[in-house]
Amino acid sequence: MDFAYRNGALCADLVPLADIARRFGTPCYVYSRTAIERNYGEFSRALAGRNALVAYSVKANSNLAVLAVLALLGAGFDIVSGGELSRVLAAGGDARKILFSGVGKTEDEIAGALRAGVLCLNLESADELQRVATVAGRLGKRAPIAFRVNPDVDAKTHPYISTGLKQSKFGVPYAEAERLYRDASSIEQVKVVGIGCHIGSLMSSPGPFIDAAARIHALAERLQRAGINLSHIDLGGGFGVRYRDETPAPIAEFIDGALGVLPGRKEMLILDPGRSIVGNAGILLTRVEYVKRTDAKNFLVVDAAMNDLLRPALYGAWHEVRPVREAESGAATAVYDVVGPVCESADFLARDRTLAAHPGDLLAVMSAGAYAMSMSSNYNSRPRAAEVMVSGADARLVRRRESTEELYAAEEVPTW
Ligand SMILES: *Cc1c(COP(=O)(O)O)cnc(C)c1O
């Protein structure tokens, strides 16, 4: 019960969201530390007693306070840029538990990761292997590497977040992986330490995840026969959460299923969940500015928009919208689209919702902890929202609202 009504007031842990709006303003992201810890705990329990690492996928929510909570729990981190590396280190994350993923690492990013001493660079192409070897040679280091292998398994999810099929830009083709590993093991400047895959996001059933684990297991066996020994097997993230009425399988089912097809493997098992750690641990708090009725539709125009939460516009994603003050029974309701002030028809947070709402009312857009603030932008010159973290009865500002001056602080008007 991280976001629940208490005496008719929607609360984050023990703090009424109305109090948070009063103290910090709207739009505002609110995260529950309790929920993050509980979600992480599901992974650590399912992996108890094994040589394993949960490497939180930073792109899901990269606020320093979120990273710090996870670092304290002993989490590792899966990063996709030099910016994320910097954040993890600033939040107190352990470099030796960092995996550097992503298809387009620059020379500077590779050098930064090697200097920091990350656990592993997950490579996505033969070209990248050469580049990493060159950079490592220049720094007089040996780069720890794995290949992200594309197991050609359909995660059965939205095409934009499906990454494990042959046609995907991600990973090296399964059939070429063994040759790449042989090449890598002959290069002095790199050290082969692992193998990885990640087939997509929002998986609701463990079948595809287990299929991918079996394919990776078969490849690891072949590598072993070729004299290439690995220290870790990384099966990625992508575990689904409930947004509406989905019923994703418990994390333990994914993990137990995967362990079942990795018999006798001694390597450290790595998972890199993002959404399942933070997705349901956050909400977006917004205020109704206007109630607009037309012949065709009713709109609640709120102070949050697609620049704050892009998922509805980008994926047609569904987020529950709840009134912060529980509606009285018998209150007059209407069917509304909940829209922001941005000048795009795609600027909606929710469509066709039955709500009793008036100007000034607060609404909570639920399950907005993942791929929400981290995907936000300043489109329409909108300062980004504040972020607050709640722990029990304590609410703290973890990112202040941007000022309008900050929006153009890096810009200059040339004097010709
Ligand atoms: C994005 C990503 C993840 C996290 O996916 P979730 O669906 O948020 O769990 C894990 N691993 C890699 C390599 C990723 O790119």
Side-chain angles (χ1 to χ4, degrees):
M1 276 303 163
D2 327 297
F3 296 97
Y5 289 101
R6 295 169 183 274
N7 304 319
L10 190 57
C11 295
D13 288 8
L14 300 172
V15 185
L17 291 174
D19 289 358
I20 292 177
R22 209 172 300 124
R23 279 179 67 193
F24 305 108
T26 56
C28 177
Y29 277 100
V30 184
Y31 309 124
S32 160
R33 177 178 166 190
T34 327
I36 295 171
E37 290 177 342
R38 186 204 49 224
N39 294 341
Y40 180 85
E42 259 197 72
F43 285 89
S44 41
R45 267 195 308 283
L47 292 164
R50 297 201 61 94
N51 178 15
L53 177 68
V54 180
Y56 168 67
S57 178
V58 173
K59 69 181 188 287
N61 185 325
S62 52
N63 183 285
L64 290 196
V66 171
L67 302 180
V69 166
L70 290 162
L72 277 178
L73 294 171
F77 296 93
D78 185 83
I79 61 166
V80 294
S81 71
E84 288 189 350
L85 173 62
S86 206
R87 279 182 174 275
V88 169
L89 298 177
D94 183 347
R96 291 163 306 175
K97 293 183 183 174
I98 293 178
L99 301 157
F100 193 176
S101 302
V103 286
K105 303 176 198 74
T106 65
E107 289 199 5
D108 280 351
E109 288 178 318
I110 293 164
L114 293 178
R115 282 200 204 93
V118 300
L119 174 66
C120 181
L121 292 137
N122 288 336
L123 308 188
E124 302 235 8
S125 64
D127 276 10
E128 192 185 1
L129 173 62
Q130 292 310 323
R131 178 178 281 188
V132 167
T134 306
V135 175
R138 204 183 294 149
L139 296 176
K141 291 189 185 286
R142 222 170 153 214
I145 62 116
F147 284 98
R148 172 171 174 175
V149 177
N150 185 335
D152 194 20
V153 167
D154 187 352
K156 300 204 166 54
T157 180
H158 190 288
Y160 282 17
I161 51 176
S162 192
T163 56
L165 281 170
K166 256 188 204 153
Q167 300 81 349
S168 161
K169 76 171 177 181
F170 296 104
V172 300
Y174 191 82
E176 287 169 31
E178 191 174 341
R179 183 179 54 75
L180 286 166
Y181 270 100
R182 285 175 192 273
D183 291 351
S185 61
S186 69
I187 299 176
E188 208 178 307
Q189 294 83 3
V190 305
K191 178 171 167 44
V192 172
V193 296
I195 189 165
C197 72
H198 171 70
I199 59 170
S201 200
L202 260 182
M203 289 183 286
S204 55
S205 68
F209 181 75
I210 297 169
D211 291 348
R215 303 265 291 163
I216 296 297
H217 172 65
L219 193 49
E221 297 258 274
R222 252 189 283 146
L223 294 176
Q224 208 167 355
R225 284 197 292 276
I228 299 169
N229 292 303
L230 307 173
S231 319
H232 74 247
I233 294 179
D234 173 4
L235 296 179
F239 314 101
V241 301
R242 177 183 220 135
Y243 283 103
R244 188 175 190 174
D245 47 12
E246 310 90 325
T247 48
I251 297 302
E253 276 183 34
F254 285 87
I255 292 179
D256 292 347
L259 291 173
V261 296
L262 296 168
R265 297 232 69 96
K266 300 275 186 293
E267 296 89 347
M268 173 161 70
L269 179 64
I270 300 181
L271 298 173
D272 23 89
R275 191 190 312 270
S276 48
I277 303 278
V278 290
N280 282 322
I283 62 112
L284 173 59
L285 184 58
T286 184
R287 195 179 288 280
V288 177
E289 295 281 354
Y290 299 99
V291 177
K292 177 171 174 175
R293 298 175 200 278
T294 71
D295 287 346
K297 272 216 162 251
N298 298 322
F299 299 96
L300 295 178
V301 183
V302 299
D303 63 3
M306 65 185 289
N307 74 295
D308 299 300
L309 180 63
L310 186 60
R311 298 187 70 257
L314 183 62
Y315 311 119
W318 195 96
H319 286 265
E320 188 185 354
V321 175
R322 289 198 204 167
V324 165
R325 163 69 36 201
E326 203 165 23
E328 318 256 309
S329 62
T333 62
V335 176
Y336 294 103
D337 280 8
V338 181
V339 303
V342 164
C343 303
E344 297 285 342
S345 296
D347 181 27
F348 67 94
L349 300 177
R351 283 185 163 149
D352 297 327
R353 302 304 168 84
T354 304
L355 292 160
H358 308 280
D361 285 358
L362 292 167
L363 300 175
V365 183
M366 307 305 290
S367 305
Y371 305 103
M373 182 64 178
S374 61
M375 280 187 166
S376 67
S377 77
N378 293 120
Y379 187 42
N380 277 206
S381 285
R382 288 170 50 81
R384 266 172 297 185
E387 291 176 287
V388 168
M389 187 177 284
V390 170
S391 179
D394 197 3
R396 306 282 185 92
L397 188 65
V398 294
R399 187 181 205 269
R400 64 172 165 74
R401 184 178 309 287
E402 273 174 342
S403 71
T404 49
E405 292 74 20
E406 280 173 284
L407 296 180
Y408 49 82
E411 296 172 29
E412 260 179 83
V413 179
T415 48
W416 300 108

